[in-house]
Amino acid sequence: MGFKVSIQAKDTIDLGMETVESVQFLTETPKDSNARSTDLGMGVLVTGKIRANIAGVADETVKLAQWALVPAEDANCYGQVTVDVLSAGKEVRQIVMDTVYIANYAESFEDETGVGTFKLLLKQKKDKNNTVQYQGGFAF
């Protein structure tokens, strides 16, 4: 399986199959609810590798770290994310969230492996949940 994550925010950020290791689509309801809640949250958790600048191709993850620092008062704190899930070169799922913000961003580095990793949690603005597109069943 492979993943492509494209973000249109303050900058365009394209994370390709060589960068993204896993993607999780999340829905959340309050933990203290005894019935289906109207307080539904949606998000995408992306994990991947931080890659060195190879052959002049810049590492796009630095743009994620910069976007994570944009304050809530700035309209650029919101963006659109498109996640494509691929299997054998064919699209299995496509998720489009048009009003996402970074709820959590973390980078870690290890000297033994020499590889950096990142975790990115994007959440959809709750009043825009009805605009999320979750598609699948594409013909092979």
Side-chain angles (χ1 to χ4, degrees):
M1 249 202 191
F3 311 97
K4 292 181 185 176
V5 177
S6 178
I7 299 169
Q8 302 293 322
K10 182 180 177 195
D11 292 311
T12 298
I13 304 167
D14 288 314
L15 305 173
M17 292 192 296
E18 67 283 345
T19 300
V20 180
E21 294 179 325
S22 70
V23 173
Q24 294 178 351
F25 176 72
L26 309 167
T27 58
E28 314 174 305
T29 57
K31 305 231 183 305
D32 61 351
S33 179
N34 290 324
R36 181 68 173 170
S37 174
T38 58
D39 187 20
L40 177 66
M42 293 184 206
V44 174
L45 177 63
V46 180
T47 59
K49 298 179 214 169
I50 297 173
R51 304 174 56 80
N53 185 339
I54 300 171
V57 178
D59 174 35
E60 294 280 297
T61 58
V62 73
K63 294 179 186 177
L64 291 174
Q66 293 167 344
W67 184 36
L69 300 175
V70 174
E73 298 81 20
D74 187 336
N76 288 321
C77 72
Y78 292 102
Q80 175 177 312
V81 64
T82 302
V83 177
D84 295 304
V85 179
L86 307 168
S87 178
K90 304 292 183 185
E91 193 160 26
V92 176
R93 293 278 189 273
Q94 184 178 64
I95 304 163
V96 179
M97 298 176 146
D98 64 355
T99 315
V100 296
Y101 60 95
I102 295 181
N104 194 343
Y105 181 73
E107 293 182 346
S108 62
F109 301 92
E110 295 187 27
D111 64 349
E112 283 186 31
T113 62
V115 176
T117 59
F118 72 91
K119 288 187 180 184
L120 169 68
L121 176 59
L122 296 170
K123 287 191 173 185
Q124 174 78 357
K125 193 173 177 208
K126 284 187 180 180
D127 65 340
K128 301 290 186 178
N129 280 350
N130 62 336
T131 63
V132 172
Q133 299 172 36
Y134 191 91
Q135 301 174 43
F138 299 104
F140 277 85

